[in-house]
Amino acid sequence: MKTILITGGAGFIGSHMVRFMLNKYPDYRIINLDSLTYAGNLENLRDVEDKLNYSFIKADINDADAIQKVFDDHDINGVIHLAAESHVDRSISNPTEFIHTNIVGTVNLLNAARHHWKDNYEGRLFYHVSTDEVYGSLGDTGLFTETTAYDPRSPYSASKASSDHLVRAWYHTFKLPVIISNCSNNYGGYQFPEKLIPLIIYNIKHNKPLPIYGKGENVRDWLYVVDHASAIDRIFHKGCIGETYNIGGNNEWKNIDLVKLLCKIMDDRLGRPEGTSEKLITFVTDRAGHDLRYAIDSGKLQSELGWEPSLEFSEGLEKTVDWYLANEEWLNNVTSGDYQKYYDKMYSSR
Ligand code: NAD
Ligand code: DAU
């Protein structure tokens, strides 16, 4: 039996990862470690929480002793590390938290794995989930490959780049078995409505302005979150130790075009005349240091490990809209508390 520690399993991608592993590997023991920040929510896992091979531990990766105890008590042999502060805008208003969790928290996990495994690395793996933002910003052409030089621009991406370097340092210096993947923008159900797609869906539903940073010309490559989970699974089981794999959807969209598409789908779903939601589009002050374009070459993952995304974007996006409309209670719950206060403060300053 394998015991896999998934950090950040109560968050957006983490909850899909936990569900994916529980469904595919009933003989694995899956431990979800999460401190339940504003972005973590155990409601994301209601459908799988009763499985006997699943357990949840509330712990903060900044707490080195607590993390070491989890490794020692549960004899962890694989780690899929997703816990992080993940929102670029928050990293601009409060960078320090990103340094603690994303950098120091990652080092605490690396140390705990190394000390628990005591140089006996057979059948062990530390998998670090990272972002394409570490590569910086592209112009109109070109793609990020695994050998693109790191050039992070935001406190978030700098903290993730730093954690990637530290993971590699533990591999080279201590021979800790590690793998890193760098993925593009994910979308799907259970994403906190501060990220573009769920925010736009939420605001359309509530007839609120749809904030577009700058001119909406920035480009992102979107991947359905379950396809990210399937890529991580493939790399976790078949990838080469010490390697990096890029994961992407080969699916570039200018923000403004994506928001207009969402408006169209929402008008249809809500039975509103076409063009109603687009009227809510509001151009606001640009994000500081806003990266122009991300685009991923995931050729290595496709050719070496045979992975490819399963879902067309149009299908994935409609599925996602339908998910948020069907899960009103979830949306209401995660937007109760400080959400509105944070959101109003954030947008009144733009
Ligand atoms: P998220 O913000 O939805 O979830 C993060 C989770 O980590 C939450 O459950 C939160 O409670 C937990 N967490 C935060 N700080 C913690 C701490 N100190 N100790 C323990 N748990 C803590 O993030 P996400 O979008 O699901 O991203 C998950 C990972 O994937 C991150 O490492 C992110 O950098 C990476 N990533 C995200 C995307 C994307 O498009 N969302 C793309 C590529 C990579
Ligand atoms: O590329 C991977 C990264 O994608 C992940 O590492 C991050 O964790 C994740 O948050 C995401 O970062 P982005 O900054 O690209 O995602 P976000 O949803 O915040 O923004 C997407 C684009 O939309 C970006 O160009 C900014 C713009 N935007 C965003 C918001 C929230 C707007 O125009 N208006 C908005 O209100």
Side-chain angles (χ1 to χ4, degrees):
M1 176 180 278
K2 269 194 188 313
T3 302
I4 314 255
L5 180 72
I6 299 184
T7 71
F12 165 50
I13 303 171
S15 60
H16 285 279
M17 197 67 230
V18 167
R19 182 175 298 101
F20 190 97
M21 296 298 275
L22 284 170
N23 288 335
K24 187 161 175 189
Y25 302 103
D27 55 333
Y28 285 10
R29 200 146 60 93
I30 303 294
I31 301 177
N32 169 14
L33 183 151
D34 200 297
S35 65
L36 302 181
T37 67
Y38 77 95
N41 186 355
L42 289 178
E43 261 188 77
N44 297 2
L45 290 161
R46 282 285 174 255
D47 56 326
V48 290
E49 67 185 3
D50 290 336
K51 286 192 184 271
L52 295 176
N53 57 335
Y54 168 74
S55 53
F56 171 69
I57 296 174
K58 186 170 188 300
D60 187 333
I61 59 171
N62 291 300
D63 182 345
D65 292 342
I67 297 305
Q68 188 65 60
K69 189 164 165 17
V70 169
F71 274 78
D72 297 343
D73 286 354
H74 298 277
D75 195 14
I76 305 295
N77 33 47
V79 179
I80 302 179
H81 173 38
L82 294 116
E85 288 295 336
S86 68
H87 192 45
V88 174
D89 292 322
R90 287 182 192 253
S91 83
I92 295 168
S93 49
N94 181 15
T96 308
E97 208 152 344
F98 285 69
I99 307 310
H100 290 149
T101 289
N102 298 1
I103 304 178
V104 179
T106 300
V107 169
N108 289 338
L109 285 159
L110 290 165
N111 279 336
R114 180 173 166 234
H115 292 138
H116 180 68
W117 294 339
K118 295 190 176 69
D119 294 334
N120 174 12
Y121 293 148
E122 188 61 34
R124 270 94 191 245
L125 179 61
F126 188 103
Y127 187 119
H128 179 58
V129 177
S130 191
T131 170
D132 60 356
E133 298 198 11
V134 298
Y135 298 122
S137 183
L138 290 164
D140 290 337
T141 58
L143 299 170
F144 297 134
T145 71
E146 287 81 359
T147 56
T148 301
Y150 274 34
D151 186 20
R153 314 305 189 79
S154 72
Y156 164 70
S157 55
S159 69
K160 291 296 289 187
S162 178
S163 62
D164 290 7
H165 290 317
L166 289 160
V167 171
R168 281 194 195 99
W170 259 245
Y171 169 66
H172 289 290
T173 309
F174 306 116
K175 310 285 175 253
L176 192 81
V178 308
I179 293 183
I180 299 174
S181 59
N182 297 84
C183 187
S184 60
N185 289 58
N186 285 214
Y187 70 97
Y190 298 111
Q191 187 169 32
F192 193 77
E194 63 183 352
K195 307 277 165 61
L196 183 69
I197 289 180
L199 176 81
I200 295 296
I201 296 171
Y202 178 82
N203 283 11
I204 291 176
K205 201 169 156 238
H206 292 91
N207 279 310
K208 288 162 65 99
L210 311 181
I212 308 283
Y213 299 168
K215 295 185 179 144
E217 298 282 313
N218 303 65
V219 173
R220 297 292 181 265
D221 166 24
W222 294 93
L223 178 70
Y224 190 57
V225 61
V226 180
D227 282 329
H228 188 188
S230 81
I232 293 173
D233 168 43
R234 184 68 56 93
I235 298 165
F236 185 84
H237 288 96
K238 305 265 186 241
C240 290
I241 303 294
E243 289 290 313
T244 290
Y245 297 88
N246 280 352
I247 309 172
N250 197 19
N251 176 40
E252 292 180 47
W253 283 81
K254 273 190 185 163
N255 293 337
I256 184 68
D257 296 336
L258 173 56
V259 170
K260 284 184 176 169
L261 177 58
L262 278 169
C263 287
K264 226 169 144 187
I265 302 173
M266 286 293 283
D267 283 345
D268 172 68
R269 294 302 196 269
L270 298 175
R272 296 174 178 172
E274 197 173 325
T276 308
S277 300
E278 268 198 33
K279 292 199 187 106
L280 296 168
I281 289 178
T282 308
F283 291 93
V284 299
T285 309
D286 209 352
R287 174 184 277 174
H290 197 174
D291 289 339
L292 177 66
R293 176 172 164 260
Y294 305 141
I296 274 272
D297 178 350
S298 55
K300 175 176 171 181
L301 172 59
Q302 302 203 0
S303 64
E304 290 183 14
L305 304 186
W307 172 88
E308 51 184 50
S310 68
L311 216 59
E312 285 294 322
F313 187 55
S314 54
E315 196 191 335
L317 201 60
E318 293 198 9
K319 214 173 147 144
T320 300
V321 167
D322 291 338
W323 188 90
Y324 286 97
L325 293 177
N327 287 276
E328 196 172 346
E329 196 185 333
W330 181 91
L331 208 47
N332 288 340
N333 288 349
V334 300
T335 53
S336 62
D338 282 346
Y339 176 83
Q340 211 53 55
K341 218 163 72 192
Y342 170 80
Y343 183 86
D344 291 345
K345 191 168 156 218
M346 163 99 182
Y347 289 103
S348 62
S349 66
R350 286 191 178 272

